[in-house]
Amino acid sequence: MLTIDIISIFPDYFSSPLKHGVVGKAIDAGLIRIRPVNLRDFTHDRHNTTDDRPYGGGAGMVMTPEPLARAISALRNEDSQSVVILLSPRGKTLSHEMARELSMFQHLILVCGRYEGVDERVIEKMVDEELSIGDYVLSGGEPAALVVVDAVSRLVPGVLGCDDSAGSDSFANGLLEHPHYTRPRTFMGMPVPEVLLSGNHREIARWRRQQCLRLTLERRPDLLEKADLNQDDLEFLQGLMNEDG
Ligand code: ADE
């Protein structure tokens, strides 16, 4: 079973988000285990200090290395296969592909940075990977850790009821997902595309694939370079590009 430990100075931050939706159900079903860990439990001073002034001066505080090193060692001892990930804006940007790789490990230790940053030496010695969730700065790694937990958990086998629903997600096949429709058949004067009512599964699959391609070309053409495209896909895309002239 995948265990994700989350080291934070705000372990309570995670209590509500982990109760709900797919992640909450996966925990209840015993498919994943998520354990917020209080960094202050690994301090040895009266004030449970986790930060200090930066050497060299400057604004803000730096996360002090000792409690973090102790916390990581304590958690990692249980399992030598642990991967230690620091959430940080200077890390590699999380992708669906990375989430899939992470979902295959047995034990992830997510470290939530706070303050101006984390003492570089503990990163060098004890962190396997730095991960960012995008090019913006959060006030701490906690929201990013929740994003990682969510993206990774839903890829753990058995977590999504229907095995296919992760397979058809945006990015799963390297493309954006096709649009969805449900009842009513006409909404604000807009009918559901006729093909979806046809019962012809081959035609429906073809239409959906073309919608994936159309949307991806419009919104994220960069994804097309890496996507797995067949001859029909390429011809369809060529047609769209010719239309635009
Ligand atoms: N901590 C602060 N900003 C972050 C980001 N963009 N991604 C991950 N962790 C962060």
Side-chain angles (χ1 to χ4, degrees), residues 195-212:
V195 60
L196 299 179
L197 310 171
S198 69
N200 183 336
H201 296 293
R202 249 177 67 103
E203 274 307 303
I204 292 172
R206 199 171 106 92
W207 181 84
R208 286 182 168 157
R209 178 78 186 176
Q210 292 181 343
Q211 295 300 309
C212 291

Side-chain angles (χ1 to χ4, degrees), residues 51-71:
D51 62 338
D52 209 339
R53 291 191 308 265
Y55 276 118
M61 300 291 269
V62 176
M63 202 168 230
T64 194
E66 295 102 322
L68 209 45
R70 281 186 215 112

Side-chain angles (χ1 to χ4, degrees), residues 38-66:
N38 191 348
L39 180 62
R40 295 198 197 279
D41 291 345
F42 297 88
T43 57
H44 287 169
D45 66 311
R46 212 156 50 89
H47 300 289
N48 302 119
T49 310
T50 55
D51 62 338
D52 209 339
R53 291 191 308 265
Y55 276 118
M61 300 291 269
V62 176
M63 202 168 230
T64 194
E66 295 102 322

Side-chain angles (χ1 to χ4, degrees), residues 86-92 111-115 131-145 148:
L86 172 68
L87 284 317
S88 149
R90 68 178 206 184
K92 271 192 219 152
V111 178
C112 302
R114 277 268 152 187
Y115 320 116
L131 212 59
S132 165
I133 60 161
D135 289 344
Y136 38 81
V137 178
L138 303 167
S139 47
E142 283 79 4
V148 173

Side-chain angles (χ1 to χ4, degrees), residues 4-16:
I4 307 181
D5 286 323
I6 310 174
I7 302 174
S8 164
I9 56 168
F10 299 127
D12 292 345
Y13 181 93
F14 300 95
S15 50
S16 172

